[in-house]
Amino acid sequence: APSPGANLCAAWITYVYMNAGAGHPTGNACDMYYQYCTSSNRSDLKVGMLVAVPSYAGNAAGQTYGHVAIYIGSGQVMDNIGRINTQSLDSWIQYYGNTHTPKWGFGGSGIA
């Protein structure tokens, strides 16, 4: 799924899940964090899970709406930051986990 634009990370997540036939997670990243992300235990992390924070100090939108990515395996996540970005989970956590503990879980009906 292409980037829908800057500050639309959750919209991109919805597009990715819909394109995969895995449901329709809704809301902003903060909503997704509280609705779908229940674990911070790395042993629970599976490909296709949302990785989210409800707020981060990077910018005004992040402080209000948080940020969300998708775990793609091998210690990597993809997210939309105005372009589609791939980075290590550790780097993502270091940057976005500055105010809240990042958590993960399947959005929508999940990916089998």
Side-chain angles (χ1 to χ4, degrees):
S3 171
N7 297 319
L8 295 173
C9 59
W12 180 74
I13 294 293
T14 299
Y15 297 149
V16 170
Y17 263 69
M18 287 175 56
N19 287 340
H24 186 109
T26 59
N28 57 46
C30 181
D31 297 331
M32 290 181 181
Y33 177 87
Y34 289 115
Q35 186 170 356
Y36 305 116
C37 300
T38 59
S39 177
S40 59
N41 183 338
R42 287 188 188 230
S43 66
D44 294 336
L45 196 56
K46 296 184 182 8
V47 171
M49 282 185 160
L50 306 179
V51 177
V53 290
S55 179
Y56 75 96
N59 59 38
Q63 290 172 2
T64 302
Y65 301 109
H67 190 62
V68 62
I70 293 180
Y71 184 68
I72 60 170
S74 301
Q76 301 286 303
V77 294
M78 290 181 80
D79 60 2
N80 172 50
I81 55 172
R83 64 178 170 76
I84 305 309
N85 180 59
T86 302
Q87 68 185 49
S88 75
L89 175 65
D90 290 335
S91 294
W92 194 95
I93 288 172
Q94 183 177 357
Y95 184 79
Y96 293 104
N98 55 24
T99 60
H100 289 83
T101 300
K103 292 185 181 179
W104 32 85
F106 284 113
S109 60
I111 297 174

